[in-house]
Amino acid sequence: MNFSVLMSVYFKETTGNLTECFDSLCRQIVKPTEVILVEDGSIDNSLLELIDKYRQVLNIQSVKLKENMGLASALNEGLKYCNYELVARMDTDDISLPSRFLKQLEFMKRNPNIDASSGFIEEFDATGEIVSTRKLPLLPSDVKVFAKKRSPLSHPATIFRKQAVLSVGGYPDLYPEDYLLWVKMIINGSDLANIPEVLLKMRTDEGFITRRGYNFLKGEIKIYWYMRVEGFISSLEYIKIILIRSVLRLSPNFLKVLLYKF
């Protein structure tokens, strides 16, 4: 089954992270038919040379943006160049397990009603140690309930049907960009699900957690307000969620790290 992998790279990425990411694509039991790599603004020669090196083993098609546009805009631009209906997402600093695409393709083939799905992910620190496993609800009905409070899919491990994403306007120009996309798809009638297996290892550290502060909260408030306006959550649910998210996002960094772990 043909499918695309959609990625975006920008100037802050390291050659070490990108190498591990590409290596994990090369080790896939079912390799991607194409890798649409958006170069989001100018990137240095070491990254460009590395990308050219991996073109020999992966069908990498670069989409070059003159200026850094941010992840949402970069992914929307990259979607235009994806030639296949099934599109798998991946970030350039993550590692896909060898059976990831095999399992996801089989799942999407068995479940033509599912428009987007992901799976469990392991988060690892700078030493390579697994610090947590992110698990999500499996069934569409449970995913819909979960989406009222938190993002119901793990974005870097997602696979989706291109037309279902385009039907709701693609990625919204908002941070976090994926959460509102999944909510819009659910409201539009899409079924979303998760596979009960670890598919990807995600690089994380305390900086990843502490960066999710005021600006992240502003995006979340807009997302929850959209849910309220669309009747996806009630006014009471909206107030409760905003209070909880505000405490989490505006807490001192040491407390934020502790809350994230639990």
Side-chain angles (χ1 to χ4, degrees):
M1 184 181 295
N2 292 327
F3 70 104
S4 307
V5 170
L6 177 60
M7 304 167 64
S8 174
V9 63
Y10 77 133
F11 70 96
K12 288 187 178 181
E13 190 56 273
T14 69
T15 55
N17 289 352
L18 188 57
T19 296
E20 288 188 89
C21 172
F22 281 157
D23 281 346
S24 76
L25 292 180
C26 292
R27 289 193 296 267
Q28 290 296 304
I29 297 172
V30 177
K31 293 181 175 58
T33 314
E34 64 179 7
V35 177
I36 303 301
L37 180 64
V38 182
E39 296 174 15
D40 190 10
S42 177
I43 57 178
D44 65 37
N45 287 333
S46 61
L47 287 172
L48 291 172
E49 290 172 1
L50 183 64
I51 293 167
D52 283 338
K53 171 187 173 182
Y54 277 91
R55 289 189 210 280
Q56 301 174 30
V57 287
L58 295 168
N59 182 20
I60 299 175
Q61 306 297 323
S62 288
V63 178
K64 299 178 183 291
L65 303 182
K66 292 182 179 180
E67 298 179 357
N68 181 267
M69 303 296 291
L71 185 58
S73 296
L75 294 180
N76 283 332
E77 186 63 24
L79 263 179
K80 299 176 184 178
Y81 294 86
C82 291
N83 291 303
Y84 304 103
E85 176 63 6
L86 283 177
V87 178
R89 269 284 293 124
M90 188 173 177
D91 289 333
T92 53
D93 59 348
D94 293 334
I95 300 171
S96 287
L97 298 188
S99 61
R100 174 192 167 180
F101 297 141
L102 172 65
K103 292 176 179 177
Q104 289 190 294
L105 290 172
E106 289 178 344
F107 180 80
M108 297 298 280
K109 184 177 181 179
R110 290 196 310 268
N111 299 276
N113 61 303
I114 301 297
D115 285 330
S117 66
S118 68
F120 300 164
I121 64 174
E122 292 179 338
E123 298 177 333
F124 67 98
D125 61 19
T127 68
E129 181 181 354
I130 302 300
V131 295
S132 66
T133 300
R134 185 187 299 178
K135 298 182 179 181
L136 293 167
L138 307 181
L139 301 177
S141 57
D142 295 328
V143 167
K144 184 176 181 179
V145 173
F146 189 85
K148 295 181 178 183
K149 297 180 179 179
R150 292 172 54 192
S151 181
L153 301 183
S154 290
H155 190 205
T158 303
I159 188 168
F160 56 76
R161 302 189 196 279
K162 179 180 176 180
Q163 290 306 314
V165 169
L166 293 178
S167 69
V168 296
Y171 284 91
D173 187 15
L174 184 72
Y175 176 65
E177 58 285 314
D178 60 306
Y179 189 2
L180 183 55
L181 172 61
W182 313 138
V183 169
K184 284 187 172 184
M185 289 176 69
I186 292 172
I187 292 174
N188 197 45
S190 287
D191 283 335
L192 278 56
N194 286 293
I195 299 173
E197 297 185 55
V198 174
L199 301 177
L200 177 133
K201 293 183 177 182
M202 180 178 176
R203 198 178 304 273
T204 187
D205 54 26
E206 289 192 5
F208 170 82
I209 299 167
T210 57
R211 283 193 299 271
R212 296 188 167 193
Y214 179 65
N215 287 333
F216 200 86
L217 176 62
K218 287 196 299 183
E220 287 183 317
I221 290 173
K222 292 179 181 178
I223 293 170
Y224 293 124
W225 180 249
Y226 176 88
M227 293 187 201
R228 171 66 193 93
V229 171
E230 293 294 324
F232 192 63
I233 59 175
S234 67
S235 295
L236 183 59
E237 287 175 314
Y238 173 78
I239 294 171
K240 182 180 178 181
I241 292 168
I242 294 302
L243 288 174
I244 293 172
R245 306 313 279 184
S246 296
V247 170
L248 176 61
R249 302 306 179 198
L250 302 180
S251 294
N253 286 340
F254 78 91
L255 183 57
K256 193 180 297 181
V257 172
L258 186 63
L259 290 171
Y260 183 85
K261 289 181 180 179
F262 292 99

